[in-house]
Amino acid sequence: MWKEAQINIFYLYLAARSTMITVLAGGTGSAKFVRGLSKIVPTDEITIISNVGDNVELLGLYICPDIDTIMYLFAGLLDQRRGWGVANDTFKALNMLREYGFETWFKLGDKDLATHIQRTFLLKQGKTLSEVTEVLCRSLGVRAKIIPSSNSKIETKILTRKGKIHFQEFWVKRKAKDRVLAVIYEGIEQAEPSPGVIESILEADKIFFSPANPVTSIGPIINVPGVKNALIETKATVVAITPIIGKAPVSGPAGKLMKGLGYDVSPLGVAQIYSDLIDVFVLDTVDARLKSKIEQLGIKCIATSTLMANLVDEKRLAREILEHI
Amino acid sequence: MWKEAQINIFYLYLAARSTMITVLAGGTGSAKFVRGLSKIVPTDEITIISNVGDNVELLGLYICPDIDTIMYLFAGLLDQRRGWGVANDTFKALNMLREYGFETWFKLGDKDLATHIQRTFLLKQGKTLSEVTEVLCRSLGVRAKIIPSSNSKIETKILTRKGKIHFQEFWVKRKAKDRVLAVIYEGIEQAEPSPGVIESILEADKIFFSPANPVTSIGPIINVPGVKNALIETKATVVAITPIIGKAPVSGPAGKLMKGLGYDVSPLGVAQIYSDLIDVFVLDTVDARLKSKIEQLGIKCIATSTLMANLVDEKRLAREILEHI
């Protein structure tokens, strides 16, 4: 009798329990997918595991471009045209920093600067990056959970013929003009997943590899020790959305990086990188001919329009994927 | 023959040598006097010894309000109406910091913030405050020499019935509403004058105590060990300009602070504080009746119009003083 009641309560709990969605995210491309998703499912059911490999310290300020992009998105502050930074921001401080000789290749808006100042201040007080992220998100009214992949320092470095340079220098300063010889996630072997990363993978119903650079956005997340195992163990459906349509990424330097590492710059190349970890791959209809090759990897393949030019596209893509998995 | 030539060269050198002027300075009031002075004498003949007792660390940024006011003045950037900060500055970062819960009683403009970021960054690299000040001034094309009174940490604290609070909290946040029980220059006993402070006093032709708060602007300069001795030893004419007209300071909380410490809130009270160190005291014509009392202290006294409402006033005052000493 008691046991029966307990079982009933358990089933009631399961039915009432909301769908938990976990998204592995980089910057711009991820933000588009996440925005669409957030219009379809309640934001408090969404957990974002954010890339930290792009983080960079400039002028003593600790900057987390990918965390900020997603945080600004949920806070309704993201500059949607640029895909980064705060909408309607100004650059007065940056212009003054130029007077002081600062190389202003990294664009820091005035409002954005406040985030970096506050984050750096809280980190210096001894808080971890995930604690700081939680504080900042709460201040901005963000209801989704944004977790940095790790509180350890992981820095994505690009080996070029000129030597090893930080990803931000490769991409933002030098506009990805150097040939890529290797990509190193510095510090990743010693890194630990931050609190909640493994749980959010194991306990999720659905996990998305958002459309992001597989080398420098998703790579530094899935290579944090323990993350791949959790992705294999989880009962969640794991879905990757292609960041590449045809032969080129929708945004960012993924093509250059994949080519440099010997991958095929195509949805197939991305599916091959993820093949051990995902159940479903979403590619664009223009690449539908690759479906069978991807299915040969043991991955279910969905072909649809993946280009997200506006919120209508973003919502449609998120809804379509949720319906098909 | 040789000796004679050497002596001649020495006299030629003396004749060619420019007048060296050293100014002890706080913020707003000092800036007005210094601006007038800088229109009369070449700026590269002016050395400013700047108060550091007002310096404050906020959000991990090291802020030097008095140094910045004088630096912005010489750089042509000072907001002359407010008497502090950069003209036409905006407050976007500050508004965003408010979102993050920062108490925004201390006004930090966006351009101004760049100064604090760059200063903090350079200090963390191991540079001294005087080295950093030199670097910042050079970047902004400042030709006057601005020297912090000390590279050691000196913090002006005000003892009130609520306890000991930082001068900025007393003045900017609490608008000087607390009764002043004592003023403490924390750290001053162990402080050393920064390089050039003693030399600029000993080698000057004229030294000015600019019209500034004697307790919290000039006080933390002249009480740095070694400075009073240098002021007594120097052959320069030492001139103080009153910050008080009638019974009230032209700007700032000098009245409240002087009263709290038992001084007479009047030009006479200021002259009494400085009596051992100065040769000349400049008071306003409205206070001309105090002349004989001040002269009884062994100080020459000049009465003139000291209110500086605009650049014409500022220049006239500087010229008049230079002519009479």
Side-chain angles (χ1 to χ4, degrees), chain A residues 52-66:
Chain A
V52 298
D54 291 12
N55 295 358
V56 62
E57 195 171 324
L58 291 173
L59 290 167
L61 298 175
Y62 196 64
I63 300 167
C64 306
D66 286 350

Side-chain angles (χ1 to χ4, degrees), chain B residues 87-98:
Chain B
N88 302 315
D89 210 352
T90 48
F91 294 86
K92 291 228 175 186
L94 191 73
N95 289 336
M96 185 77 174
L97 284 167
R98 190 179 291 136

Side-chain angles (χ1 to χ4, degrees), chain B residues 23-26 30 49 51 185 208-224 274 277:
Chain B
V23 183
L24 278 53
S30 299
I49 302 177
N51 173 37
Y185 308 133
F208 294 103
F209 286 30
S210 58
N213 189 327
V215 179
T216 57
S217 295
I218 305 298
I221 301 175
I222 58 181
N223 284 293
V224 172
Y274 297 155
L277 307 172

Side-chain angles (χ1 to χ4, degrees), chain B residues 49-62:
Chain B
I49 302 177
S50 186
N51 173 37
V52 298
D54 292 10
N55 294 358
V56 63
E57 194 170 325
L58 292 173
L59 289 168
L61 298 174
Y62 196 65

Side-chain angles (χ1 to χ4, degrees), chain A residues 278-310:
Chain A
I278 63 172
D279 304 304
V280 182
F281 191 83
V282 180
L283 48 57
D284 197 85
T285 37
V286 303
D287 297 311
R289 66 191 156 71
L290 295 172
K291 236 178 139 175
S292 60
K293 279 200 182 162
I294 289 171
E295 283 168 346
Q296 281 165 25
L297 299 168
I299 301 166
K300 179 179 166 184
C301 193
I302 299 171
T304 183
S305 171
T306 61
L307 196 67
M308 292 174 281
N310 52 48

Side-chain angles (χ1 to χ4, degrees), chain B residues 198 201-202 222 224-234 276-277:
Chain B
I198 299 301
I201 293 172
L202 293 177
I222 58 181
V224 172
V227 170
K228 279 188 179 168
N229 273 350
L231 284 165
I232 292 166
E233 272 181 45
T234 184
D276 293 343
L277 307 172

